[in-house]
């Protein structure tokens, strides 16, 4: 049988590759940093080539490291699953996930049966409360958030880049007071989310009309309520276009054809050490294979 490197060295390599830091990987494996570094070095001696680019407080995979990770990480994860099944510790996988309500209702919940079919023991606790990123590791394993950028101390990956659209009831485009041109907003109420009040500014600047002012601005803290209010003709809502498309509400139309690139995106985020959680890894991989744009 061909000689293999120590499993502890492979485990150390995968953890450093996923976390990007010897210190973080050492904490996850309950080792000292020097001990973990020795395991990495032993694996590099075994394969007779370096696997990382050493940078200040960071370890970045080189091309050889990327190829090795792609080959051994799935096998190591499969080994962990087999051990869990044998010891009885794999009976239940639970993820504590924070997610915006609209994303959950429009894009996530309807697809979860697919995930359950792949992993019958997988369960998710859904949290929709604010300040998700600050609560990672303290009651939350992972979060899906709308943000401009994510703290680089966290692991993050963009799910979708969004655009801003003006939407409302078709009735707003009819009659003597119809809203047909951007200037018509001067006699209209616009609807915005409290956490994304900049969306209207982004949209009006994209049409070179930073001076454009609506008659009034009504604020909401629920995306679904904005959609409902817009459908009832209470104003022109400025929202991410995917929320409009995901609503499948025939009472809503785009008031203007123009859409603007938003500075906001949907992101998946977790603490870097959280990626060692099998439930987090399973959900992360499934999310980007099935839902992410």
């Amino acid at each position: 049988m061909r000689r293999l490197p120590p499993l502890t060295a492979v485990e150390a390599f995968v953890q450093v590759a996923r976390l990007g830091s010897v210190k973080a990987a050492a904490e996850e494996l309950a080792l000292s940093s020097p001990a973990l570094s020795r395991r990495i070095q032993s694996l590099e001696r075994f394969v007779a080539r370096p696997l990382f680019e050493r940078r200040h407080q960071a370890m970045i995979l080189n091309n050889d490291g990327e190829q090795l990770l792609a080959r051994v990480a799935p096998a190591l994860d499969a080994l962990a699953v087999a051990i869990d099944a044998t010891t009885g510790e794999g009976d239940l996988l639970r993820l504590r996930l924070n997610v915006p309500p609209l994303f959950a209702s429009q894009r996530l919940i309807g697809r979860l049966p697919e995930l359950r079919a792949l992993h019958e023991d997988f369960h998710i606790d859904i949290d929709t409360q604010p300040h998700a990123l600050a609560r990672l590791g303290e009651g939350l394993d992972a979060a899906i958030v709308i943000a401009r950028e994510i703290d680089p101390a966290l692991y993050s990956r963009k799910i979708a880049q969004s655009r801003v659209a003006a939407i409302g009831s078709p009735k707003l485009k009819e009659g003597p007071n119809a809203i047909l041109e951007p200037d018509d907003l001067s006699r209209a109420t616009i609807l915005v989310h409290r956490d994304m009040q900049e969306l209207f500014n982004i949209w009006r600047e994209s049409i070179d009309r930073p001076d454009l002012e609506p008659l009034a601005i009504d604020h909401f803290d629920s995306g679904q309520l904005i959609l409902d209010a817009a459908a009832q003709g209470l104003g022109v809502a400025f929202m991410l276009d995917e929320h409009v498309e995901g609503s499948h509400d025939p009472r809503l139309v785009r008031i203007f054809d123009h859409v603007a690139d938003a500075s906001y995106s949907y992101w998946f985020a977790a603490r870097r050490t959280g990626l060692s959680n099998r439930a987090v890894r399973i959900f992360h991989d499934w999310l980007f294979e099935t839902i992410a744009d």
Side-chain angles (χ1 to χ4, degrees):
M1 183 175 180
R2 183 177 178 181
R3 187 170 63 93
L4 297 174
L7 181 60
T8 53
V10 176
E11 181 184 38
F13 164 72
V14 171
Q15 287 287 11
V16 173
R18 284 174 168 165
L19 301 179
S21 162
V22 168
K23 180 179 179 182
E27 291 175 354
E28 187 66 26
L29 295 174
L31 294 170
S32 67
S33 293
L36 186 136
S37 294
R38 286 194 293 271
R39 293 186 181 183
I40 296 294
Q41 291 165 5
S42 72
L43 181 62
E44 290 180 320
R45 287 195 297 271
F46 185 91
V47 299
R49 66 196 64 189
L51 300 171
F52 294 93
E53 294 179 13
R54 271 74 171 175
R55 300 179 184 178
H56 180 63
Q57 296 184 340
M59 297 274 281
I60 309 298
L61 286 173
N62 59 23
N63 289 335
D64 290 327
E66 291 278 6
Q67 293 180 22
L68 182 61
L69 180 67
R71 292 165 179 161
V72 304
L76 189 64
D77 290 341
L79 178 61
V81 171
I83 296 297
D84 284 348
T86 302
T87 60
E89 294 179 0
D91 294 335
L92 190 66
L93 284 169
R94 185 170 297 279
L95 176 71
R96 301 170 298 173
L97 177 72
N98 179 277
V99 59
L102 270 185
F103 188 96
S105 62
Q106 293 184 348
R107 302 186 64 175
L108 180 62
I109 299 299
R111 304 294 297 271
L112 286 182
E114 301 172 29
L115 179 58
R116 181 67 60 82
L118 296 172
H119 302 278
E120 294 181 356
D121 56 348
F122 195 94
H123 294 266
I124 301 182
D125 291 336
I126 297 291
D127 178 296
T128 61
Q129 298 301 308
H131 311 301
L133 298 182
R135 294 188 289 122
L136 287 173
E138 300 179 8
L140 292 176
D141 300 314
I144 294 172
V145 298
I146 300 176
R148 287 175 165 167
E149 58 184 3
I150 303 294
D151 185 342
L154 298 172
Y155 169 83
S156 64
R157 184 173 172 183
K158 187 181 293 186
I159 298 172
Q161 179 67 47
S162 300
R163 299 184 299 171
V164 185
I167 57 106
S169 168
K171 296 178 182 179
L172 296 180
K173 303 180 72 172
E174 302 170 355
N177 295 316
I179 299 174
L180 303 174
E181 302 292 340
D183 283 336
D184 295 332
L185 290 174
S186 63
R187 46 185 171 77
T189 298
I190 68 169
L191 315 175
V192 297
H193 197 288
R194 292 186 187 278
D195 293 339
M196 293 187 289
Q197 299 182 45
E198 296 91 345
L199 290 186
F200 176 61
N201 293 335
I202 292 170
W203 186 87
R204 65 181 177 178
E205 289 176 2
S206 73
I207 62 170
D208 296 322
R209 289 297 308 278
D211 58 330
L212 185 62
E213 294 292 342
L215 178 66
I217 303 176
D218 290 352
H219 299 85
F220 292 74
D221 62 5
S222 164
Q224 185 58 57
L225 288 179
I226 295 178
L227 290 174
D228 291 340
Q232 294 295 334
L234 296 180
V236 178
F238 285 84
M239 300 189 68
L240 302 183
D241 61 343
E242 61 195 72
H243 291 157
V244 182
E245 295 168 1
S247 70
H248 303 295
D249 191 334
R251 301 173 299 167
L252 292 170
V253 298
R254 286 187 178 174
I255 301 300
F256 308 111
D257 292 334
H258 178 78
V259 294
D261 290 334
S263 57
Y264 290 91
S265 304
Y266 272 111
W267 298 81
F268 173 90
R271 295 179 67 181
R272 292 187 179 276
T273 55
L275 293 177
S276 62
N277 181 320
R278 191 160 73 93
V280 173
R281 293 200 307 273
I282 287 174
F283 180 79
H284 170 278
D285 294 346
W286 172 80
L287 175 71
F288 285 97
E289 288 173 2
T290 61
I291 294 180
D293 294 345

